[in-house]
Amino acid sequence: LTRFSLAMLAEMYLPFFLLGMGFLAIAAVVFRAAPREEINLVFATLCTAMAGFMLDQFSALRLSSRFPEAWGLSLILQGLWLPFMGALIVHLIALITTPSGLSLRARRALRIYYGLSALVSVAILLTYMITNQSLNRVLTGFSLLFCTVSSAAALTWGILRLGQVYRTPPSLRTKRQSGLMALGLAALFVTILPLYLYYLTDIPLY
């Protein structure tokens, strides 16, 4: 056994802290560039949600159950954001692949999607407040299922939609953007999503 050092602490916390701060910086730059543009607002919100997820990866809640006061921090950083990940991804991809603007049907569907995500966010909030274990287990299972299916389905749809746009003959700029976004989502699907699913299972590390 070796003594726990500052280098070990940095190795545990620093990578995700830097990733989180990087996402926050991107969100701030994009929002500042055009705060009234819908696509900028959606992208900045998605980056903020990813930042919270990264910053909370190794909070005291994950390392030990002896620090219940960390639950509030975990709730603020990622608990209330996770249900909206799928809706934000779909919204962003829809805006990117529809330069002429979203149809009324698409906007109506997005409002329903965001409404369901808000209900799940409330369910997650209740899991931090309810002491009834049976009800808490039901709410947690429902929230976990929604977040997992929503995010996986949104990423899959995003990759397929971008691939479809890439195969059509749009402008070279749109084609390049769609291809890069599809590659980025594919990389996200095989790297961050497994970590995301592991995190949602709340497997203790002690």
Side-chain angles (χ1 to χ4, degrees):
L1 295 178
T2 59
R3 185 183 297 275
F4 191 76
S5 65
L6 184 61
M8 295 178 182
L9 183 66
E11 186 178 355
M12 289 177 58
Y13 286 87
L14 196 56
F16 286 103
F17 176 78
L18 293 177
L19 280 172
M21 296 306 295
F23 275 112
L24 281 179
I26 293 172
V29 170
V30 171
F31 176 78
R32 179 64 178 170
R36 290 188 174 88
E37 290 291 333
E38 182 180 5
I39 191 170
N40 287 52
L41 290 173
V42 175
F43 186 83
T45 305
L46 181 60
C47 285
T48 303
M50 288 298 299
F53 175 65
M54 291 298 173
L55 290 173
D56 194 51
Q57 275 300 301
F58 288 97
S59 67
L61 177 65
R62 299 291 299 154
L63 295 176
S64 174
S65 62
R66 299 177 182 178
F67 301 98
E69 66 272 10
W71 295 354
L73 177 61
S74 181
L75 180 66
I76 293 172
L77 286 176
Q78 56 85 26
L80 299 178
W81 291 92
L82 287 180
F84 292 96
M85 295 294 287
L88 288 168
I89 292 172
V90 169
H91 195 172
L92 180 63
I93 299 302
L95 290 172
I96 291 173
T97 57
T98 316
S100 58
L102 300 181
S103 65
L104 291 177
R105 176 183 293 183
R107 292 195 177 279
R108 191 178 299 115
L110 280 172
R111 282 196 292 269
I112 295 173
Y113 200 171
Y114 277 115
L116 290 174
S117 301
L119 289 177
V120 176
S121 184
V122 172
I124 292 177
L125 175 62
L126 291 176
T127 62
Y128 285 81
M129 302 171 61
I130 294 176
T131 57
N132 187 302
Q133 292 297 321
S134 299
L135 181 57
N136 200 313
R137 192 177 299 111
V138 172
L139 289 174
T140 301
F142 171 73
S143 303
L144 170 63
L145 180 63
F146 179 87
C147 292
T148 303
V149 173
S150 175
S151 297
L155 285 171
T156 302
W157 176 84
I159 294 171
L160 294 176
R161 174 62 179 160
L162 289 167
Q164 180 186 15
V165 172
Y166 183 80
R167 288 194 299 270
T168 59
S171 65
L172 180 61
R173 179 181 179 183
T174 303
K175 196 178 184 70
R176 186 183 298 114
Q177 288 176 340
S178 300
L180 289 175
M181 284 291 296
L183 288 174
L185 285 179
L188 184 71
F189 199 91
V190 298
T191 54
I192 294 182
L193 186 61
L195 181 63
Y196 170 77
L197 296 178
Y198 168 79
Y199 183 74
L200 285 177
T201 58
D202 200 28
I203 300 175
L205 298 180
Y206 55 91

